[in-house]
Amino acid sequence: MNAPPLLVGLAVLFWGWQADLLAFAAPLAALLEGARLVKARWDFSDADYGRIWTLCVVLFAGVAVYAFTSNDGAGAVGSFFNTNNPAVRNNAMTQGTRAVLVFIRWLPFVFVPMIVAQAYGRRERIDLAVFSGLVRRLRRLRPSAERSPGVNVAMPFFSICLTGAAAANSRGPGFFIGLSVLLCWALWPRRSKRYPVPVWLGLAAVVIAMGFFAARGMLQLHRVVEMLQAEWMAGMFNARGREGSESVTSIGKHGRLNLSGRVVMRVDPGPGVHEPPLLRTSSFDVFRSPVWSANRRTFAEVLGGTEVTTWTLLPGKAPGNELTVHVSLAKSSDALSLPPGTGELRNLPVAEVRTNRFGSVIVVETPGFVSYVARYGPGATLDGPTNESDLVVPPAERMAIGGIAEELNLASFTPAEKLKAVAQFFARHFSYTQNLETDRSAPAGETPLATFLMRQRAGHCEYFATATVLLLRQAGVPARYATGYSVDEKDRGRGKGYVVRERHGHAWCLAYVGDRWVDFDTTPGIWRAGEYQRGSSWEPVRDWLSRMWFEFSRWRTQQSGIRPYLIGMVAVSAAIIIIRLVQKRQWRRAGTTAETPGRATMRLGEDSEFFEIERRLGTLGHVRDPGETHIAWLARLESAELDTRGLCELHALHSRYRFDPAGLDTAERAQLRSRAAAWLSTQSATSKSGTSETTARA
């Protein structure tokens, strides 16, 4: 190996120490350094090296799959691009970074077959064509072109070991000391001989000290940035209320309300469920236009059931219906979307489940992608009893709300009749739209909700839900504002179940009637058809990609039966490559001369007769300069009016013999030998003739 003694072995041990893989690294280091003690070498051909490189590629893919599936890196990437929530994105970046670091930490393992093959092979360098299909293609197009001497993989593997050790993210002094020692040992043979050893060592010590203090400074800066990031994320967390503290509506905004067609979840109804209900995420009781917030939203922990992944939300309830929700959750914590009256959750592998009196359900430490089963039914719900905030109408809205309530004579009705009257009022006099224009006839100081009720009488679900809640409160019926999703669009890609898109996000009213909370939605049903028509022409493409991601997520979390087959395919591929290496004379002990009939055994080309021609011309004063290619050298000889006839053709045969994986067949090899001998004999005769003439003149 083209590396100082013990350097690669020590680098492997250093990697194993830092990556906590010393049990694997120690035998590997002994194997690599033991090659210096073993004289026998194996004569690998370029085809052999190609198979070994293919094995490395298979290992590369396997390590990548392992790193990203075991650390939810793929799910983190999807979460990052599929949400605008800063807390979720921060968590996704953390998970994605962890997956990348695991992948880098295992990189030395990927290239072990190649470094071992070079250590015990006859070649000091491996042809670049082994690693690059582009190089092979260029050589087929220009077979006579000068060939690269190849690459020695020892130092690249050394660099990979240092990178893998750094990915372990050890912050102790051992990493810096070990790294410094290895770098000095690698640079020692290549140091400039112009300077004395003490000077070189002194400069190295200065550089190491500067690097140490710079690393300490970067570590302190990193801690400061982490602290500031945590504070910023905490502020964003409280401002946005990702766990149900508030909902910022679009009430008062003008123009078209644009929502994405991104698929946020998939829903599979259970037996007997023909039409899935609304899936609620949160509910709120305090309105300060345009924000709904939750007052006294303390969460309580839910005790797990008899199974690790089963959580009982309403003890004693026997739900009769169920549906399965497939969704990607934030790793740290996230809110679930559940049907009304959910009493039990199954197949939910999380560390903790919390609920509050507004029916919100928060899960902590999720695996990312989950497929949980929600069992629900009529009767009891997670919502707590009513309080004074469930009857409050904001002062700014009382004039408009009171006028409508008086117009409908709501005070004279029973609670059930009040709901019916409000529903008829919106159905007869209002329409649904997501494109709100500015009403210039509205007097100054009139609230957007009052304009909706008194003038425009058109709006989206947030207007209808807010107005309904306040009208019922004005009539003495406790009510809350709920948010979640409507489940209406069939999943055509799977042929079963439903897809829920971001634009299916919905708001409605919760009304307390008959001693229980019930969903009460007054938004005109036409909004569902309108949302479906808003799909872009690219939506089928995005849906297909989402479908592929869904299947991959199921496989990654072992919810699909194809994972064992994929692992088996990788193992079989690796086994086939290894078998191909050891069968049919693919491995030959150094010194053997066996040849395949009709074709010479592929050699490095050290015995090419063209080297004898080069030496002969050197004795005549035509020495090839260091670093000068043969083609450039021959062109220089020709410009010096030296007879180089036939040398270009000989050089083309020599290049193929030296570098082409196919080599020369028996006839071509004989041609190189005979033509070189003829040229050398001609030069010998010319040299003798010149010597005789010189003697005669003397």
Side-chain angles (χ1 to χ4, degrees):
M1 293 185 294
N2 188 21
L6 302 179
L7 178 66
V8 175
L10 290 175
V12 171
L13 288 175
F14 179 66
W15 163 66
W17 172 38
Q18 293 295 310
D20 199 21
L21 296 170
L22 198 57
F24 171 77
L28 175 60
L31 179 66
L32 293 175
E33 294 301 331
R36 301 181 185 276
L37 306 177
V38 178
K39 300 302 181 183
R41 289 292 184 269
W42 293 95
D43 188 14
F44 291 106
S45 68
D46 283 339
D48 295 330
Y49 280 118
R51 296 187 183 99
I52 295 171
W53 178 246
T54 302
L55 176 59
C56 292
V57 173
V58 173
L59 292 176
F60 183 92
V63 168
V65 171
Y66 166 77
F68 279 81
T69 56
S70 63
N71 291 273
D72 196 34
V77 174
S79 298
F80 182 85
F81 289 104
N82 290 335
T83 183
N84 293 322
N85 190 302
V88 176
R89 284 196 166 189
N90 179 70
N91 181 74
M93 287 190 290
T94 301
Q95 290 299 118
T97 301
R98 186 179 294 115
V100 171
L101 289 177
V102 170
F103 172 70
I104 296 175
R105 188 173 63 180
W106 278 90
L107 269 184
F109 169 78
V110 170
F111 300 104
V112 163
M114 186 58 69
I115 187 67
V116 171
Q118 178 180 274
Y120 287 90
R122 294 185 64 234
R123 303 189 191 182
E124 284 291 333
R125 295 177 176 273
I126 301 175
D127 194 356
L128 288 177
V130 170
F131 308 102
S132 172
L134 178 61
V135 173
R136 293 192 294 269
R137 177 177 176 81
L138 291 176
R139 288 184 180 177
R140 286 194 297 268
L141 296 176
R142 296 185 296 174
S144 61
E146 185 72 14
R147 304 296 176 89
S148 166
V151 61
N152 187 297
V153 299
M155 293 310 292
F157 184 76
F158 168 76
S159 302
I160 291 173
C161 287
L162 296 188
T163 305
N169 200 24
S170 172
R171 299 185 179 183
F175 170 77
F176 188 82
I177 294 173
L179 179 65
S180 301
V181 170
L182 287 173
L183 290 177
C184 288
W185 186 242
L187 295 174
W188 175 259
R190 294 166 176 80
R191 72 187 187 280
S192 174
K193 303 301 189 293
R194 295 171 54 190
Y195 302 99
V197 172
V199 173
W200 190 89
L201 292 176
L203 290 174
V206 171
V207 172
I208 291 173
M210 293 174 62
F212 175 78
F213 288 111
R216 292 293 298 273
M218 291 296 293
L219 180 59
Q220 294 296 328
L221 178 61
H222 177 68
R223 289 172 177 169
V224 171
V225 170
E226 280 187 335
M227 182 177 63
L228 293 176
Q229 183 189 33
E231 294 178 356
W232 177 77
M233 289 305 302
M236 294 299 293
F237 177 83
N238 293 332
R240 295 295 184 92
R242 64 180 290 272
E243 291 185 352
S245 63
E246 63 181 33
S247 174
V248 181
T249 71
S250 297
I251 292 176
K253 294 182 180 180
H254 300 288
R256 176 168 291 278
L257 183 65
N258 293 316
L259 293 175
S260 169
R262 180 181 64 89
V263 176
V264 295
M265 69 181 78
R266 298 173 189 271
V267 176
D268 293 334
V273 179
H274 303 291
E275 184 177 347
L278 294 169
L279 301 183
R280 193 195 338 157
T281 306
S282 304
S283 65
F284 311 91
D285 61 345
V286 178
F287 181 61
R288 295 183 181 89
S289 184
V291 179
W292 276 98
S293 59
N295 185 30
R296 295 197 296 265
R297 52 180 290 273
T298 304
F299 282 88
E301 185 176 350
V302 175
L303 297 179
T306 56
E307 300 292 335
V308 176
T309 59
T310 299
W311 304 86
T312 302
L313 305 181
L314 295 172
K317 183 172 183 176
N321 301 319
E322 66 178 40
L323 55 79
T324 303
V325 180
H326 311 278
V327 64
S328 292
L329 302 172
K331 292 285 287 187
S332 56
S333 63
D334 212 339
L336 299 183
S337 298
L338 300 174
T342 298
E344 185 180 72
L345 299 173
R346 293 182 177 179
N347 194 29
L348 185 61
V350 297
E352 189 176 324
V353 176
R354 303 170 184 169
T355 63
N356 66 7
R357 68 187 190 90
F358 294 98
S360 299
V361 178
I362 302 300
V363 290
V364 179
E365 295 184 19
T366 78
F369 179 84
V370 295
S371 295
Y372 63 87
V373 178
R375 305 188 68 230
Y376 67 100
T381 67
L382 292 171
D383 303 284
T386 64
N387 57 32
E388 64 279 1
S389 62
D390 296 321
L391 290 169
V392 173
V393 177
E397 311 294 351
R398 287 175 184 170
M399 181 178 295
I401 294 296
I404 297 296
E406 185 177 349
E407 175 187 338
L408 298 178
N409 195 24
L410 295 180
S412 63
F413 297 147
T414 64
E417 292 173 338
K418 292 174 182 178
L419 267 63
K420 182 178 179 181
V422 171
Q424 291 176 347
F425 170 69
F426 284 115
R428 292 173 180 174
H429 305 291
F430 288 75
S431 61
Y432 179 82
T433 182
Q434 289 189 341
N435 189 10
L436 293 175
E437 303 293 338
T438 303
D439 191 337
R440 302 188 183 279
S441 65
E446 185 175 80
T447 66
L449 187 64
T451 302
F452 165 74
L453 287 170
M454 307 296 294
R455 304 179 189 281
Q456 288 185 329
R457 298 208 164 183
H460 47 75
C461 62
E462 293 174 334
Y463 281 96
F464 285 96
T466 300
T468 301
V469 170
L470 299 186
L471 277 173
L472 292 180
R473 289 181 176 183
Q474 183 70 28
V477 178
R480 294 173 182 171
Y481 178 88
T483 60
Y485 295 93
S486 175
V487 184
D488 301 288
E489 183 180 341
K490 292 285 188 178
D491 190 347
R492 295 174 177 80
R494 291 192 298 155
K496 66 175 183 177
Y498 296 80
V499 291
V500 180
R501 305 180 187 274
E502 188 175 283
R503 65 169 179 262
H504 294 157
H506 192 45
W508 62 95
C509 170
L510 288 179
Y512 194 75
V513 179
D515 296 328
R516 64 189 182 95
W517 292 96
V518 296
D519 290 335
F520 182 45
D521 187 9
T522 58
T523 303
I526 193 175
W527 80 273
R528 294 178 173 85
E531 291 296 340
Y532 183 77
Q533 294 173 358
R534 292 185 62 192
S536 69
S537 57
W538 288 98
E539 193 162 275
V541 178
R542 291 199 300 266
D543 286 351
W544 182 83
L545 294 174
S546 174
R547 166 69 176 158
M548 295 299 102
W549 182 257
F550 167 71
E551 292 295 344
F552 173 76
S553 298
R554 292 185 63 201
W555 166 78
R556 177 172 51 84
T557 55
Q558 302 187 39
Q559 297 176 24
S560 173
I562 64 174
R563 182 168 186 164
Y565 298 101
L566 291 178
I567 296 176
M569 289 172 60
V570 173
V572 170
S573 300
I576 291 174
I577 293 171
I578 294 174
I579 292 173
R580 289 289 303 275
L581 284 173
V582 299
Q583 70 178 1
K584 297 182 180 180
R585 299 186 299 277
Q586 292 295 336
W587 292 41
R588 295 182 292 275
R589 295 281 298 189
T592 59
T593 58
E595 292 185 355
T596 303
R599 181 174 292 275
T601 302
M602 178 62 187
R603 299 291 183 184
L604 288 177
E606 299 95 336
D607 58 340
S608 172
E609 288 75 17
F610 191 82
F611 289 124
E612 182 61 30
I613 294 175
E614 181 179 351
R615 286 190 289 271
R616 176 66 61 83
L617 289 172
T619 60
L620 298 177
H622 306 294
V623 180
R624 183 165 67 96
D625 296 333
E628 186 178 24
T629 64
H630 280 112
I631 293 177
W633 177 55
L634 292 176
R636 180 164 59 83
L637 296 182
E638 186 175 0
S639 64
E641 298 184 356
L642 185 71
D643 186 9
T644 59
R645 288 175 298 176
L647 289 184
C648 291
E649 292 83 357
L650 278 173
H651 176 260
L653 289 172
H654 163 78
S655 296
R656 289 179 54 201
Y657 182 48
R658 180 96 167 110
F659 301 109
D660 194 340
L664 300 177
D665 59 27
T666 304
E668 291 170 330
R669 181 70 184 91
Q671 183 182 8
L672 173 61
R673 187 181 296 111
S674 61
R675 292 185 62 178
W679 190 93
L680 289 170
S681 63
T682 301
Q683 289 296 316
S684 297
T686 302
S687 177
K688 291 179 180 180
S689 174
T691 303
S692 301
E693 291 179 1
T694 302
T695 304
R697 292 194 190 96

